[in-house]
Amino acid sequence: MPPTPSALKFYTEEGNWDIVGNNTPVFFVRDPLKFSDFIHTQKRDPQTNLRSNQAAWDFWSLSPESLHQVTVLFSDRGLPRNYRQLNGYGSHTYSFVNAANERFWVKFHFKTLQGHSFYTDEEAWGVIGQNRESAQHDLFENIKEGNYPRWKFCVQVMPEKDADHYKVNPFDLTKVWSHKDYPLIEVGILELNRNPENYFAEVEQAAFAPAHVVPGIGHSPDKMLQARILSYTDAQRYRLGVNYQSLPVNAPKCPMRGYHRDGSMRFDGNSGGAVNYEPNSFGGPKECPAFQEPPLAISGDAARYNHREGNDDYTQAGDLFRLFDAGQRARLFANLGRSLSPVPKEIQLRQICHFFRADPAYGAGVAQALGIDLADFQPK
């Protein structure tokens, strides 16, 4: 039940804007240094070449900041029935800068208008046994028949001055902003109304990176986002080549005055003999102050994100659990029990401590699903 990546490319009049996120509003880690460690736990064991529940739960139980995302992942929200009936999120905190050069922090939401629907684990086993590409088939056929899926595009907007005193770190990827504090503001409707004519050219070669923004939209001190700004463009250059942004699916639809030069598969005039550096004395590229963002008004430093002390990793996971009705809780307990059952007892108990800290009923339910007698178990 992995999170489903969602990526959008807007071909604007001022260049391309990419939103690269997930179908969940949070993630497992907030420290970019831990991202590769997390991915190692999701890949195959180097000896058995099998996926390892032990590795996943060992990492999660030692990383309490993952609890919010784990709760989403193993709940009904973690196994959408198809691509049309899931939400999308930018997940990270970005910024809006208005005409007065004032900054606001922002989060992006795409709410499905098809209604959220999910599979139970038992249902999913039957579906995958019949058709491993059921979600792709569903999306293609619905668009083909004119049943165009739509999402309501909304934003949450936080004044810059609120960041220093909000109840959670607004740049923490494991946290959400309360909708009561910052309500969703509807921006428009996203509609998928055309299937690709050639899947490789239009999808496989499409490249997305959160570094790609347009005037008025910027980044934030979110350390995971800062890492992705660099790593995604680097990955695309490795995957598709240094000139991947010249491919039709990735090229802006408006005139762009960049000065990237050379590299394999350069298939245009390569800018002739024009100057390709800045500053220069020959009428070449020149920095435009109009696009410079205002200085940050918040406190903070460039140190690594402290992902233990001083962070509350339990309240939001508990708040989410308390939203679930009895049936949703029962399925959550069963899903977690199946996943944790092959894991060593020491790791089971360590993880159950986190569930208890989020909500006593959460811990008790998972313990019962694992057949653990609470009379002999005292969370520490």
Side-chain angles (χ1 to χ4, degrees), residues 105 163-164 169 171 221-223 296-305:
W105 303 119
D164 266 342
N169 186 330
F171 312 113
D222 179 340
K223 293 185 185 296
L296 286 172
I298 64 170
S299 60
D301 56 40
R304 269 191 58 204
Y305 208 142

Side-chain angles (χ1 to χ4, degrees), residues 50-350:
L50 297 172
R51 300 188 188 280
S52 172
N53 283 28
Q54 175 176 301
W57 284 108
D58 189 30
F59 180 87
W60 289 337
S61 66
L62 291 168
S63 308
E65 67 271 25
S66 67
L67 186 60
H68 195 174
Q69 174 75 314
V70 165
T71 303
V72 175
L73 189 63
F74 284 86
S75 73
D76 293 346
R77 306 180 186 197
L79 196 52
R81 189 170 290 270
N82 51 61
Y83 294 134
R84 296 178 300 112
Q85 294 180 288
L86 56 73
N87 292 333
Y89 302 90
S91 300
H92 295 286
T93 299
Y94 290 85
S95 64
F96 280 165
V97 179
N98 64 19
N101 212 34
E102 298 169 322
R103 179 187 284 109
F104 296 81
W105 303 119
V106 62
K107 283 186 176 289
F108 303 120
H109 301 251
F110 296 86
K111 298 293 190 178
T112 177
L113 294 178
Q114 287 66 242
H116 182 260
S117 185
F118 65 94
Y119 286 127
T120 64
D121 271 13
E122 294 80 1
E123 290 173 327
W125 293 334
V127 171
I128 296 301
Q130 297 295 320
N131 181 2
R132 288 182 58 84
E133 299 186 358
S134 60
Q136 176 68 17
H137 182 268
D138 172 89
L139 181 63
F140 185 90
E141 291 300 320
N142 272 278
I143 294 176
K144 179 181 177 182
E145 297 300 321
N147 182 27
Y148 302 139
R150 308 173 85 208
W151 287 261
K152 185 185 296 184
F153 178 27
C154 302
V155 295
Q156 285 179 286
V157 178
M158 174 188 291
E160 184 177 12
K161 61 182 176 59
D162 287 11
D164 266 342
H165 56 76
Y166 191 52
K167 58 190 175 185
V168 299
N169 186 330
F171 312 113
D172 183 345
L173 186 55
T174 69
K175 303 291 192 295
V176 296
W177 300 353
S178 168
H179 288 195
K180 293 180 181 178
D181 298 333
Y182 301 101
L184 293 182
I185 301 170
E186 185 174 349
V187 176
I189 298 294
L190 169 70
E191 180 180 274
L192 299 183
N193 53 29
R194 181 181 72 83
N195 281 315
E197 293 295 327
N198 183 283
Y199 195 87
F200 180 81
E202 298 182 54
V203 180
E204 288 296 326
Q205 289 196 126
F208 303 87
H212 297 160
V213 294
V214 293
I217 300 172
H219 301 104
S220 82
D222 179 340
K223 293 185 185 296
M224 282 288 288
L225 176 58
Q226 294 290 332
R228 293 180 78 200
I229 290 170
L230 296 174
S231 64
Y232 271 58
T233 50
D234 187 58
Q236 303 295 11
R237 284 188 287 268
Y238 175 82
R239 181 172 74 93
L240 296 171
V242 68
N243 286 302
Y244 75 91
Q245 293 190 79
S246 296
L247 292 168
V249 69
N250 298 320
K253 308 302 181 186
C254 62
M256 294 297 292
R257 293 185 292 275
Y259 48 100
H260 171 73
R261 304 290 283 277
D262 307 336
S264 62
M265 300 299 291
R266 187 73 191 235
F267 48 83
D268 58 11
N270 201 27
S271 300
V275 174
N276 65 334
Y277 57 89
E278 195 280 335
N280 65 86
S281 305
F282 305 101
K286 184 178 181 181
E287 181 180 2
C288 183
F291 299 123
Q292 186 173 355
E293 294 187 18
L296 286 172
I298 64 170
S299 60
D301 56 40
R304 269 191 58 204
Y305 208 142
N306 185 328
H307 59 292
R308 294 290 184 276
E309 297 178 4
N311 278 298
D312 174 6
D313 295 314
Y314 300 106
T315 297
Q316 290 200 351
D319 289 343
L320 177 59
F321 172 79
R322 287 182 283 275
L323 290 175
F324 298 158
D325 61 30
Q328 291 171 322
R329 293 186 183 190
R331 289 187 291 273
L332 173 66
F333 299 150
N335 292 341
L336 288 166
R338 279 191 294 273
S339 183
L340 276 163
S341 59
V343 171
K345 188 72 169 289
E346 176 187 358
I347 296 176
Q348 290 180 349
L349 297 180
R350 187 194 302 150

